[in-house]
Every structure is written in structure tokens, then in C-alpha cells.
Amino acid sequence: MNFRSLRLPLAALAGLFLLTGCPDKKAAETVGSAPAEVKLPKAPVFNADSAYAFTAKQVSFGPRVPNSKAHIATGNWLVAKLKSYGLKVMEQPFEAMTFDGTNIHARNIIAQYQPTAARRVAIFGHWDTRPFADADKVKKNASMDGASDGASAVAVALEMARQLSQQPDSLAPNVGVDFIFFDAEDWGHDDTTQAGLKDQLAGSGTDSWCLGSQYWAKNLLPAGYKAEYGVLLDMVGAKNGKFTREETSRTNARAALDKIWGVASQLGYSDYFRYEDTGGITDDHVYTNRAGIPTIDIYHYNSPTDYFPAYHHATTDNMAIIDRNTMKAVGQTMLQALYVD
């Protein structure tokens, strides 16, 4: 997950947002309540051990920084793994310049389950790693594993794909599912930790974060892509995960947000999926929403005064913080939601 720019709701402006360089320290939280329960249909069982192993596998390649051998190897492994599940896999290579002037070779990876189904749901995530742990208090700018920030989301999606691929036609959901992994999400300029560095993309019309989703939104693959809704997974693997109802999600995809949180509540995961409304952040869902896909963001929220957990953009984002219980809560909720009309 990136840096993030917080969008602070301003009542006097009725729906306008103020983009800032870092999460606003005064963003208010409100608490809602769970909707009435409905009977949940049968869904596959999410295997948290498998998701944990997928996370560890990605980390084992090394930091997945664009232009690196570890990045290429990880991308090749993802493509092969998705193909092994019988999914239709497409790659979307692109080149971009980062905020510090580095030219990178990147690729988005798209895999379709039941590609001919008319109704579709998109599961988004990013598979790259931030090239520097600029928020680390001890090893500032060292390389980092990105175990939760990136790898855990991809791992949850991979386990979802694995489970769906094993279902007979009679137990398949009534929707097709597109797993879309964005590249170059995390090589952005943080106004707080990198205040002394110039953002060479400032004023260019390109955000320094979320380069892969920006490219995809302008060059949809599949062409003309549409989905009923999308879910962006980001930082969904750490201990004590807490997910709140982020403002951009509420504004652009309220129906999907209510559905996911309702399913989580019925499954007993309300300790993870909190009925708390929090301010908006800049993440890949900003650009998928602009592309016409109503998308919510599920990410690890910390507190109103310190939006992101201590491991965010730090070397402590490694396998030691990964928790099967958090991954189970997210993965089972996501699988179950596919079976709820």
C-alpha cells in the first residue's frame, strides 16, 4: 500500500475533497451499524495456510521492485500460477517514469475466471514492492519485503482463484471474477518522509503513486472492461488487521461496501471489518472508480492520528507480522460475497 494522500470530507463543500500529501490528522470517525442478516449460500472454504504460503513465496523472491530480477521472476511466477488454475491470463506491459526520474518496465497482470460470464466482479491488488523503506525509524530507505503491503493481497486473491478453479459448474458463483494485479503502485513521492526530494511528476497530470492502475484505467484490458463492482485489497495480512469504511469507497461504491461489510458481519468478522467511517485515501481504487468500476478499498487502518500501522513502508513489513487469522477473515469474506446476489 502506498503513502497515501488523505481526502478529508468538508461538510461545507458537500462532496468536494481536499487532497493532501499525507493522511490528515484530524479526520473524524463515525460509527455505523450492521444491516439485517440474510441467509448466506454455500461458498468454498478459504484456506489461510495456502494464502500464507503464497505470501511467503512472493517474499522469497526478494523485494519486487520494478526493473529488478526479483520483480521479473515474481511476475513470471504469478502468470504461471494463474494459468495453472485454468484462468484466462493477459499481461499488460507498460513503461513509466517515477517521481525520481527512473524509467521503469512494468506490467499489469489480469486473470479471468469464467471469462464468458456477463456479470463480473473485479478483485484488484498491487504486486510490486516499494523500493525504499522511507518510513523506517532505524533502517531508513533500506530494501523491504512488502509482506503485507502487496504480497498479502495478491496471496488472498490467488487463494480465491485456486478455490474457484476447483469448484464444479454446479457450485460456481453466478459471476465471472477478474483478478487484476497492478504494477508500479508503490514507487511514489511521500510528502512527509521525502520532503527533501523533488517530485518530478508534479504538475504533469500523472500521480507519482498508482502508476499501473493509472495506465490500466486509460487502456482498459480487456478492452471496454465493465464490472458490477470491484474490491481493492491492500495490506490485508498483518496481525490485528482493522478495515474501515473509507470515504472514496462510500462515495463511489456504497452498495458493494455495504454488501462486503454485511457478509463479514454474518461470518463473525466484525472485529476486522469495523463499522467506522474514515477519510478517503489515494490508492488504486481512485483510478478504477474513474474508469467506471465502482470500487471499495480494504486496507489496514490504524487510527485517526496515525492512519497507517507501524510496519507501513518499513523493514518490519516482513513475514513476522503475517497472520493467518487476518487473511482468513478477508479471504472468506471475499469468497462468500461472490455467492451473494
Side-chain angles (χ1 to χ4, degrees), residues 55-70:
T55 306
K57 178 64 177 180
Q58 292 172 80
V59 170
S60 73
F61 285 107
R64 302 167 300 284
V65 178
N67 291 352
S68 70
K69 291 182 179 179

Side-chain angles (χ1 to χ4, degrees), residues 203-333:
S204 69
T206 297
D207 194 322
S208 66
W209 301 93
C210 308
L211 296 174
S213 57
Q214 289 183 78
Y215 184 85
W216 181 84
K218 295 175 182 177
N219 304 275
L220 292 176
L221 186 66
Y225 181 73
K226 296 183 182 300
E228 290 187 3
Y229 67 90
V231 178
L232 172 62
L233 304 176
D234 202 346
M235 296 207 308
V236 294
K239 299 173 184 175
N240 303 315
K242 182 172 75 169
F243 314 112
T244 56
R245 295 159 63 89
E246 181 263 354
E247 185 175 54
T248 301
S249 306
R250 298 195 312 273
T251 302
N252 292 278
R254 182 59 180 263
L257 185 71
D258 289 344
K259 176 180 180 177
I260 299 299
W261 257 248
V263 168
S265 177
Q266 287 194 246
L267 291 174
Y269 295 133
S270 289
D271 285 347
Y272 296 93
F273 290 81
R274 307 290 185 89
Y275 277 87
E276 300 175 16
D277 293 347
T278 52
I281 59 174
T282 299
D283 201 355
D284 286 319
H285 70 315
V286 169
Y287 304 101
T288 59
N289 274 300
R290 291 180 185 175
I293 313 300
T295 308
I296 69 171
D297 191 0
I298 299 176
Y299 75 99
H300 191 164
Y301 170 85
N302 188 45
S303 74
T305 56
D306 193 4
Y307 247 58
F308 306 113
Y311 67 80
H312 180 243
H313 293 175
T315 58
T316 49
D317 187 1
N318 54 44
M319 289 304 297
I321 68 169
I322 299 300
D323 182 67
R324 291 172 175 82
N325 294 320
T326 302
M327 301 186 86
K328 174 69 174 182
V330 175
Q332 193 63 62
T333 297

Side-chain angles (χ1 to χ4, degrees), residues 82-162:
L82 291 163
K83 286 182 177 179
S84 76
Y85 299 145
L87 276 60
K88 179 181 178 182
V89 180
M90 294 166 279
E91 298 179 64
Q92 186 181 49
F94 66 95
E95 296 187 2
M97 188 184 84
T98 64
F99 82 89
D100 56 4
T102 302
N103 292 310
I104 59 171
H105 306 281
R107 57 175 156 168
N108 296 325
I109 299 171
I110 299 97
Q112 295 189 291
Y113 167 74
Q114 298 190 144
T116 61
R119 298 178 58 205
R120 310 209 64 78
V121 171
I123 307 298
F124 300 109
H126 78 87
W127 67 276
D128 62 304
T129 309
R130 185 159 177 75
F132 20 71
D134 49 304
D136 198 289
K137 292 180 171 55
V138 178
K139 301 177 181 179
K140 189 175 179 65
N141 294 325
S143 60
M144 52 184 288
D145 291 339
S148 184
D149 191 355
S152 69
V154 171
V156 167
L158 284 175
E159 177 58 13
M160 290 176 65
R162 189 179 77 88

